[in-house]
Amino acid sequence: ANALEKLAEKKTESAGAAPPATDAELAEIKAKLRALMQQATESGTLAVALEQVRKDAAARQAEQLPEEEEVEKLQHELTSMREESRSLHTTVDRLTQEMEDLKRTNEEL
């Protein structure tokens, strides 16, 4: 773990990022965040923001789900494609049989 910490410090320094925060700095940041969250909760700002996030998530989910009409349309298309496939297989089988009959007739001549 020591080597990993040193490597992380070197990468942080070489990337031009700020050095890791001290425990005192982290405690100060936590205290500020706690105060901001308390203020947002008391003012109702947090509730409004959470409701907006919930609405946005619901809207994204609704956009991803196909409409019932679209599902029915796709089911109809799938049924049509299956019928066409069966028809094509029947036609291919018939043409194959006709080719074999023509070969036999040709060989007999």
Side-chain angles (χ1 to χ4, degrees):
N2 222 356
L4 265 152
E5 289 173 358
K6 288 180 182 179
L7 180 61
E9 286 177 18
K10 285 182 183 178
K11 285 190 173 192
T12 301
E13 290 169 6
S14 67
T22 65
D23 289 340
E25 291 171 326
L26 288 175
E28 184 181 343
I29 291 170
K30 287 179 184 178
K32 286 181 181 179
L33 280 173
R34 193 174 297 115
L36 287 172
M37 292 298 286
Q38 183 67 32
Q39 183 183 10
T41 301
E42 291 171 358
S43 69
T45 306
L46 182 61
V48 171
L50 290 174
E51 180 63 21
Q52 186 60 44
V53 168
R54 187 194 63 75
K55 286 179 181 177
D56 291 348
R60 280 194 303 276
Q61 184 179 12
E63 289 173 0
Q64 293 174 354
L65 296 176
E67 295 289 327
E68 187 175 328
E69 294 171 358
E70 187 178 343
V71 171
E72 289 177 10
K73 180 181 173 186
L74 290 172
Q75 287 175 336
H76 178 69
E77 287 179 19
L78 183 59
T79 301
S80 295
M81 290 172 66
R82 286 181 179 153
E83 291 172 2
E84 288 175 6
S85 176
R86 281 193 287 271
S87 175
L88 287 171
H89 281 285
T90 301
T91 302
V92 167
D93 290 343
R94 182 180 54 79
L95 289 172
T96 302
Q97 183 62 40
E98 287 179 16
M99 282 179 41
E100 289 175 8
D101 289 346
L102 285 172
K103 284 182 184 177
R104 271 186 251 128
T105 302
N106 201 17
E107 288 173 357
E108 291 173 2
L109 294 175

